[in-house]
Amino acid sequence: MSRPTVNDIAREAGVSLATVDRVLNARPGVRDKTIFAVNEAIARLGYIRDMAAANLARSRRYRMAVFLPDGGGQFVQTVAAAMEEAAQQAAATRTEMTLIRYPAGDTHSLAALLAGVDPDEVAGVALMAPETPVLRDAVRALRHRAVPVVALASDLPNAGCDHFVGIDSRAAGRTAGVLMGRFLGNRPQRVAVLAETMLLRDAIERRRGFDEVMLADFATVDVLPTLETHGATEALRRGLAEVLSSTEIGGIYLLGSGHRALTAALEGMGLLGRVVVIGHELTLHSRSALQSGHIHAVIAQNPGHLARSTLRVLRAKADRAPIDEGQEQLRIDIVIRENLPD
Amino acid sequence: MSRPTVNDIAREAGVSLATVDRVLNARPGVRDKTIFAVNEAIARLGYIRDMAAANLARSRRYRMAVFLPDGGGQFVQTVAAAMEEAAQQAAATRTEMTLIRYPAGDTHSLAALLAGVDPDEVAGVALMAPETPVLRDAVRALRHRAVPVVALASDLPNAGCDHFVGIDSRAAGRTAGVLMGRFLGNRPQRVAVLAETMLLRDAIERRRGFDEVMLADFATVDVLPTLETHGATEALRRGLAEVLSSTEIGGIYLLGSGHRALTAALEGMGLLGRVVVIGHELTLHSRSALQSGHIHAVIAQNPGHLARSTLRVLRAKADRAPIDEGQEQLRIDIVIRENLPD
DNA sequence: ATGAATTTGAGGTGCGTACCTCATTTCGCA
DNA sequence: TGCGAAATGAGGTACGCACCTCAAATTCAT
């Protein structure tokens, strides 16, 4: 009636407790035939290992290290906060987290930090960083020392991470594209595209997805080249003014962050609310811009989910346990004023 | 360095283990002064009770009962499946679930089932049901017997449930309204509204939200009265044909389920993909309709999240533990073809 | 101060699992 | 057939906590 225990398995398989234990924990010294018999019994009884008791017995603690760029925009701040919160929750499952900031963009520093990670101390590493050769090697080295590594928000496809927690940037860009097209009403229009920098893989992928959709489904819309602002509000204003001097604009696609600077610039030009603005990531600024109608849609990933998923995945990897793909898949959230979460 | 245990608390408070235990588990026979001292020590050391070990020692199992209507549309099926999956996951935390179907709409039967729930057997109850006086009383009685009750997907505001797991229907309707208005391009248009029945609180609330937005922000759009189909494909076809004979339709808002019947009807009329269709809930049918472009947006709640949240909340209630509001809040998902999850 | 009631301490057992040691059995192979 | 190696069994301790019993210490009222 109650859940079967290791003792039941031992009895059912006709072996001793020690052998069941060896099989369960993949310890050596068991014949294949016996391993099979034990697994057979496990399947027959529908045994589910009680991870709570297991971890208790191990008196194991999972110490995870999360690396985030230190400057970072609002989004990084949001993720950091979500991480802290998730960590507090995860404490109940013997999982701890250390948040480590590295100089934004300085992947050499980050690589050095990663090289200093002690596999006996740290059960897993998560990092949000642009992909560079140095970093790729550092990740490889880490994994070689049997430390699970997951990429956060921005994928590192060639570094061989164990997992990527985040959304598909290209699909996110496509989603932004469809919304832009539909919100514009498929009339002949021009759309400006703004980005702080095109160095990050994410921005490039988003732009790709956006263009794909616009080209295929909204041919009457003319998408202008990306205007890089390098984080400078003044550059944004000037660039935007220049574009506007030569042509009319129906919509603006904000590839990365910078909601605040954009709304400021638009306000100065008296364009607030008169052009369709679509951006990425839900931050304090984009929230209020959505609320006041200055931005019309934001494509986002839930930072809370991102954080919890990160810790869960790292823990699963540390346990060499399978991960629940369904639960870990991050949704591409479309946020408008009406479905803004509290 | 490691997390403090009950032993640390005992030492810190200068009392014995037994006393700490009495305080922790609210057992009688401890002076107020001592209780205070122990709580003091707990606060000082930042002790967090290891619920995993606690439940292990208690050898406690959480058996939850989930009641769903038996007929139900695709959505109920989806939720049922998600529940089973969530239950499998939750098994690792000593949480079990029994799925119980009751005759759809028959709240008397459901009330009888609830009356038969044994508080010693069942640690919590979740139910998806329309609100009726009988049911309201049944829920009250259950809660009186100290069984936590949560409402699923459809709220029971006057039954005094411990929690509601689901999205705000009115906000969902508003979201649908904004999308409809924007997708129509704010041109003079007519929108038909279809529903299987308007008896469910959800449908009414959605319609309310939809109307609010249309009236306020898209005045040029004319929203027609709700066409009730009572689940009959033929009725839907006839009703739709009638509407179309007297007027042109730019969009269709599907208040509840019935994606399949609608696309069939539209196909027969050669209207597939020529009118903006917005519906609710992501099911197998609405998925494929989205994919083929027959439906343009779906307002949904994540069934997996719904299921996991339900079990988590019930467990927290059973433990009288606080719940993480942030984690339990369900998002109003906007799903279009481009952000359709796998 | 005395007896009774209340509060506290000490110690044990068990929950389901990990992990260790030391026999003992079985197997593969010469 | 016998030997060494590999496989298995038996039993113990520990993890953090719940819950039990019984004795000892401390109130408290009279």
Side-chain angles (χ1 to χ4, degrees), chain A residues 171-230:
Chain A
R174 292 178 58 86
T175 304
V178 170
L179 291 182
M180 180 61 82
R182 289 207 169 269
F183 283 15
L184 287 174
N186 204 14
R187 287 184 290 268
Q189 303 254 16
R190 279 173 212 285
V191 170
V193 180
L194 305 182
E196 295 199 349
T197 167
M198 289 302 277
L199 287 179
L200 288 173
R201 160 166 239 106
D202 289 31
I204 300 168
E205 289 288 305
R206 285 175 188 162
R207 168 92 214 207
R208 274 224 296 165
F210 189 79
D211 287 350
E212 270 172 25
V213 165
M214 294 313 266
L215 218 64
D217 299 342
F218 304 97
T220 62
V221 177
D222 189 16
V223 184
L224 304 176
T226 305
L227 188 64
E228 287 186 65
T229 65
H230 303 292

Side-chain angles (χ1 to χ4, degrees), chain A residues 3 50 91 94 296 332 339, chain B residues 3 50 61 91 94 332 339:
Chain A
R3 247 172 61 176
D50 186 334
R94 326 181 72 75
H296 302 89
I332 299 176
N339 74 336
Chain B
R3 247 172 60 176
D50 186 334
R61 327 203 51 79
R94 327 180 69 76
I332 298 176
N339 74 335

Side-chain angles (χ1 to χ4, degrees), chain B residues 66-304:
Chain B
V66 177
F67 294 88
L68 295 180
D70 65 352
Q74 280 268 318
F75 177 60
V76 178
Q77 304 296 338
T78 312
V79 170
M83 274 293 171
E84 297 286 7
E85 206 185 308
Q88 221 166 7
Q89 275 270 317
T93 60
R94 327 180 69 76
T95 304
E96 293 157 13
M97 187 210 61
T98 315
L99 203 55
I100 301 160
R101 299 304 196 96
Y102 68 90
D106 184 357
T107 48
H108 280 84
S109 297
L110 177 53
L113 287 172
L114 292 184
V117 166
D118 178 359
D120 295 331
E121 282 289 314
V122 176
V125 166
L127 47 96
M128 184 189 295
E131 188 173 39
T132 66
V134 191
L135 189 57
R136 198 197 54 201
D137 292 342
V139 168
R140 290 238 172 100
L142 248 189
R143 293 206 58 225
H144 198 257
R145 285 185 287 153
V147 179
V149 179
V150 315
L152 216 54
S154 176
D155 200 4
L156 306 174
N158 300 312
C161 290
D162 293 84
H163 196 82
F164 164 56
V165 181
I167 60 177
D168 177 348
S169 294
R170 179 123 155 253
R174 292 178 58 87
T175 305
V178 170
L179 292 183
M180 179 63 82
R182 290 208 169 267
F183 282 16
L184 288 175
N186 204 13
R187 287 183 291 268
Q189 303 254 16
R190 278 174 211 285
V191 172
V193 180
L194 304 182
E196 298 199 347
T197 166
M198 288 303 276
L199 287 178
L200 288 173
R201 161 170 237 104
D202 289 32
I204 299 169
E205 291 287 306
R206 284 175 188 162
R207 168 91 214 207
R208 274 223 296 166
F210 190 79
D211 287 351
E212 271 172 24
V213 165
M214 294 314 267
L215 218 63
D217 299 342
F218 304 97
T220 62
V221 177
D222 190 15
V223 184
L224 303 176
T226 305
L227 188 63
E228 286 187 65
T229 65
H230 302 292
T233 308
E234 190 42 37
L236 188 154
R237 188 197 310 278
R238 239 181 305 119
L240 207 55
E242 197 175 325
V243 170
L244 285 168
S245 70
S246 64
T247 179
E248 286 258 309
I249 290 291
I252 294 178
Y253 178 34
L254 207 50
L255 267 181
S257 198
H259 301 274
R260 206 227 280 270
L262 176 62
T263 49
L266 286 181
E267 181 160 31
M269 299 171 182
L271 280 177
L272 261 193
R274 302 177 55 85
V275 287
V276 175
V277 180
I278 293 184
H280 281 276
E281 305 311 349
L282 200 56
T283 65
L284 284 180
H285 297 324
S286 60
R287 275 188 78 86
S288 66
L290 272 173
Q291 226 141 16
S292 51
H294 301 153
I295 293 185
H296 303 90
V298 163
I299 312 302
Q301 47 195 326
N302 188 322

Side-chain angles (χ1 to χ4, degrees), chain A residues 11-267:
Chain A
R11 201 176 327 111
E12 177 79 11
V15 300
S16 78
L17 210 64
T19 302
V20 173
D21 176 68
R22 288 178 184 116
V23 173
L24 278 178
N25 296 290
R27 267 185 276 276
V30 187
R31 265 179 307 170
D32 287 357
K33 210 170 71 176
T34 313
I35 294 182
F36 185 80
V38 171
N39 283 325
E40 179 80 3
I42 288 176
R44 202 145 4 107
L45 295 185
Y47 169 76
I48 305 168
R49 188 210 211 104
D50 186 334
M51 284 309 272
N55 288 323
L56 177 60
R58 273 196 189 102
S59 73
R60 169 162 192 183
R61 324 207 50 82
Y62 300 81
R63 181 174 264 101
M64 310 300 182
V66 177
F67 294 87
L68 296 180
D70 65 353
Q74 280 270 316
F75 177 61
V76 179
Q77 303 297 337
T78 311
V79 170
M83 274 293 171
E84 298 285 9
E85 205 185 309
Q88 220 166 7
Q89 273 271 315
T93 60
R94 326 181 72 75
T95 305
E96 293 156 13
M97 187 209 63
T98 315
L99 201 57
I100 302 158
R101 300 305 196 95
Y102 68 90
D106 183 357
T107 48
H108 280 83
S109 297
L110 177 53
L113 287 172
L114 292 184
V117 167
D118 178 359
D120 296 329
E121 282 289 315
V122 176
V125 166
L127 48 95
M128 184 188 296
E131 188 173 39
T132 65
V134 190
L135 188 57
R136 199 196 55 200
D137 292 343
V139 168
R140 290 237 171 102
L142 248 189
R143 294 205 58 225
H144 197 258
R145 284 184 288 153
V147 178
V149 179
V150 315
L152 216 53
S154 176
D155 201 4
L156 308 173
N158 300 312
C161 290
D162 292 84
H163 195 82
F164 164 57
V165 181
I167 60 178
D168 177 348
S169 295
R170 180 122 153 254
R174 292 178 58 86
T175 304
V178 170
L179 291 182
M180 180 61 82
R182 289 207 169 269
F183 283 15
L184 287 174
N186 204 14
R187 287 184 290 268
Q189 303 254 16
R190 279 173 212 285
V191 170
V193 180
L194 305 182
E196 295 199 349
T197 167
M198 289 302 277
L199 287 179
L200 288 173
R201 160 166 239 106
D202 289 31
I204 300 168
E205 289 288 305
R206 285 175 188 162
R207 168 92 214 207
R208 274 224 296 165
F210 189 79
D211 287 350
E212 270 172 25
V213 165
M214 294 313 266
L215 218 64
D217 299 342
F218 304 97
T220 62
V221 177
D222 189 16
V223 184
L224 304 176
T226 305
L227 188 64
E228 287 186 65
T229 65
H230 303 292
T233 307
E234 192 40 39
L236 188 154
R237 187 199 309 278
R238 241 182 302 116
L240 207 54
E242 195 176 328
V243 170
L244 284 168
S245 69
S246 63
T247 178
E248 285 260 308
I249 289 290
I252 296 177
Y253 178 34
L254 207 49
L255 267 181
S257 199
H259 301 273
R260 206 227 281 271
L262 176 61
T263 50
L266 286 181
E267 182 160 30

